Amino acid sequence: MTVFTSLLAGLVFGLGLIVAGMANPAKVLAFLDLAGAWDPSLAFVMGGAIGVGFVAFLVARQRTVSFLGAEMKLPTASHIDRRLVLGSVAFGIGWGIAGFCPGPGLVALGMGEGKALVFVASMLAGMGIFELLERRRRTASTAQKG
Amino acid sequence: MTLDLNAFTPWSALAGGVLIGVAAAMFVLLNGRIAGISGVLGGLLTPSRGDIAWRAAFVLGIVAAPWAYALVTAWPQPQIDAGQGALVVAGLLVGIGTRYGSGCTSGHGVCGLSRLSPRSLAATAAFMGAGFATVYVIRHLSGI
């Protein structure tokens, strides 16, 4: 059941991105271009999403299991460290270069755009590099302790 | 700054945003999970038993969205101006950055801000700020 609701949530998420115009990198870049002809649409997308999300998370916070009985896995991390900030800055630079973040990249891939395939493949490679670096770091720290 | 009123689409932006909020609400209330696309996708690279199907289904739903959209109205047409080399660099930075930063526009931007998480606010400020700065440098300083 949760696999089906997962598919449905992904579908609604993707539809939201398309309706909002956010699967179109040119529109995202028009928001990020404060010094040019500025298109504030992305702020309205965030506003609409957060308005609904705020209520949903108020409900979620009161529960230990979901309405389908799945374990409620809400983030517990609250620290703001170098990893978080530098990682986010790197992401923001990439976002500013092409106008793609992960969701719109996947939606544009579904549209059959060759350029989106290049972006998504590179993004997966980046995520793979992260996993390799993390594995090396973990091995190094275990070796140190041992 | 000049406001581009011809490009500004407040109503469809708001409607699309509400749909995104509904998707995030469904995901947390039914599956008990944060709809963070980079995290869900990244988890597929180190698969563990019982942890693959829901992740793959969520990603598949997003990829299939244009097909569902086209059932009702015209096939959506994105405008991707970046060249191949720029797309590779952008993809690598987005992939590495979202995993080190533990989230992207959906996980930190939508879900994190909905939860009023200071950590997600810091991440969102960092990637938005970097996005603004990058576009400024590319469009207004580098003369490309």
Side-chain angles (χ1 to χ4, degrees):
Chain A
M1 189 62 191
T2 55
V3 173
F4 175 71
T5 51
S6 217
L7 180 78
L8 206 60
L11 194 66
V12 174
F13 203 113
L15 284 172
L17 286 170
I18 298 171
V19 170
M22 294 297 114
N24 182 5
K27 194 164 176 69
V28 173
L29 290 176
F31 170 79
L32 292 176
D33 189 6
L34 290 175
W38 191 51
D39 176 359
S41 300
L42 192 146
F44 279 59
V45 181
M46 295 296 286
I50 292 169
V52 178
F54 177 73
V55 179
F57 282 102
L58 279 185
V59 177
R61 197 168 300 159
Q62 310 294 323
R63 305 180 58 92
T64 51
V65 291
S66 79
F67 286 99
L68 291 180
E71 187 189 345
M72 193 60 85
K73 288 198 168 164
L74 296 178
T76 49
S78 61
H79 54 285
I80 297 166
D81 55 8
R82 251 172 50 142
R83 263 172 89 93
L84 179 85
V85 174
L86 292 182
S88 296
V89 166
F91 160 44
I93 295 172
W95 191 33
I97 291 175
F100 270 135
C101 52
L106 291 173
V107 173
L109 179 69
M111 292 173 185
E113 295 287 329
K115 283 184 162 184
L117 179 62
V118 174
F119 172 81
V120 171
S122 308
M123 176 172 77
L124 285 171
M127 290 178 170
I129 292 170
F130 163 82
E131 296 295 345
L132 289 177
L133 292 174
E134 279 298 278
R135 195 170 303 170
R136 184 177 294 179
R137 193 178 65 101
R138 273 197 299 266
T139 320
S141 69
T142 329
Q144 247 170 18
K145 276 176 202 154
Chain B
M1 182 194 290
T2 48
L3 207 58
D4 188 348
L5 287 175
N6 291 321
F8 184 32
T9 49
W11 296 113
S12 59
L14 207 56
V18 166
L19 276 176
I20 293 170
V22 168
M26 284 170 62
F27 211 46
V28 73
L29 294 176
L30 299 177
N31 287 36
R33 292 274 182 173
I34 295 286
I37 298 176
S38 57
V40 174
L41 185 64
L44 282 172
L45 296 181
T46 51
S48 57
R49 191 183 289 265
D51 198 46
I52 301 168
W54 69 270
R55 289 178 187 273
F58 185 70
V59 172
L60 191 69
I62 298 172
V63 175
W67 299 77
Y69 183 83
L71 292 177
V72 192
T73 174
W75 187 254
Q77 283 289 346
Q79 185 191 334
I80 309 168
D81 295 326
Q84 305 282 351
L87 286 164
V88 170
V89 174
L92 287 170
L93 283 169
V94 171
I96 298 176
T98 53
R99 298 299 282 141
Y100 270 108
S102 308
C104 58
T105 336
S106 51
H108 282 311
V110 174
C111 296
L113 296 189
S114 294
R115 296 188 301 115
L116 309 177
S117 152
R119 178 173 149 87
S120 286
L121 180 62
T124 305
F127 67 68
M128 285 255 175
F132 287 135
T134 303
V135 171
Y136 185 75
V137 169
I138 291 175
R139 291 199 174 172
H140 304 285
L141 293 184
S142 71
I144 296 173

